[in-house]
Amino acid sequence: MAAQPAVSLGDFSTLFALAGRSTRLRSERLLADFGLHVGQQFFMRCLWEADGSTVGDLARRVRVEAPTATQAVKRMEAAGMVHRTPDEQDARRSRVWLTPLGRSTWPQVTAALAELEQELLAPFSPQEREQFMSLLLRLYETSLPVDGSGTG
């Protein structure tokens, strides 16, 4: 068992950061096995649901700035997960599509992420899990920038 961090119950920021960091590290290792970087799973999910989205659409759905989305798409393109085509109505924009590799990888990624989630939430009862997810959603909503953009 890992050593307990030197924090008190009232030290929300530290506990939240520590939990986020360790979860992110576990996710990084898991996603690296599929040739992905943390965060790219959100773009892949969007494309799975709406293949052929524009980079701007992806940025809005993932709630990141357009340059962040562009960089993620470039990295995923280099990894062979997506390809871009010019938009038929506006040649200045491009549409992003999952490649056959991306399509075959996504179900494996979701299964691996679900397994990690189950492992991380194993100490909680079903009721605690539901409450925890509800509280996290509420925290997310209250942590959004005042303008509601949710990008950063």
Side-chain angles (χ1 to χ4, degrees):
M1 169 90 32
Q4 296 295 317
V7 294
S8 65
L9 184 58
D11 199 354
F12 167 79
S13 294
T14 300
L15 284 173
F16 193 75
L18 289 170
R21 184 175 64 196
S22 62
T23 300
R24 181 182 175 95
L25 288 171
R26 304 257 323 257
S27 296
E28 281 177 3
R29 287 187 215 117
L30 182 149
L31 291 169
D33 290 343
F34 297 100
L36 296 170
H37 296 272
V38 168
Q40 291 176 345
Q41 74 271 27
F42 306 123
F43 295 97
M44 287 193 69
R45 179 187 315 137
C46 289
L47 292 169
W48 184 262
E49 295 168 356
D51 211 13
S53 296
T54 66
V55 174
D57 291 338
L58 292 171
R60 278 185 291 286
R61 290 189 64 206
V62 177
R63 294 186 167 223
V64 297
E65 298 290 338
T68 301
T70 299
Q71 185 62 33
V73 167
K74 284 181 182 177
R75 288 179 105 172
M76 292 168 59
E77 195 171 30
M81 297 291 176
V82 301
H83 69 93
R84 289 185 276 184
T85 61
D87 184 281
E88 292 178 4
Q89 280 75 40
D90 185 348
R92 295 171 296 179
R93 295 188 310 180
S94 62
R95 298 214 167 257
V96 184
W97 307 87
L98 289 170
T99 62
L101 176 62
R103 284 212 157 273
S104 66
T105 300
W106 179 241
Q108 298 171 51
V109 169
T110 59
L113 288 171
E115 189 175 312
L116 176 61
E117 180 179 307
Q118 288 300 314
E119 185 180 326
L120 293 172
L121 296 176
F124 300 99
S125 71
Q127 296 81 11
E128 288 173 324
R129 289 178 191 194
E130 186 176 328
Q131 182 179 26
F132 182 62
M133 295 300 287
S134 176
L135 292 170
L136 275 178
L137 178 60
R138 202 164 26 163
L139 176 63
Y140 168 71
E141 290 169 347
T142 60
S143 69
L144 289 173
V146 176
D147 67 4
S149 66
T151 60

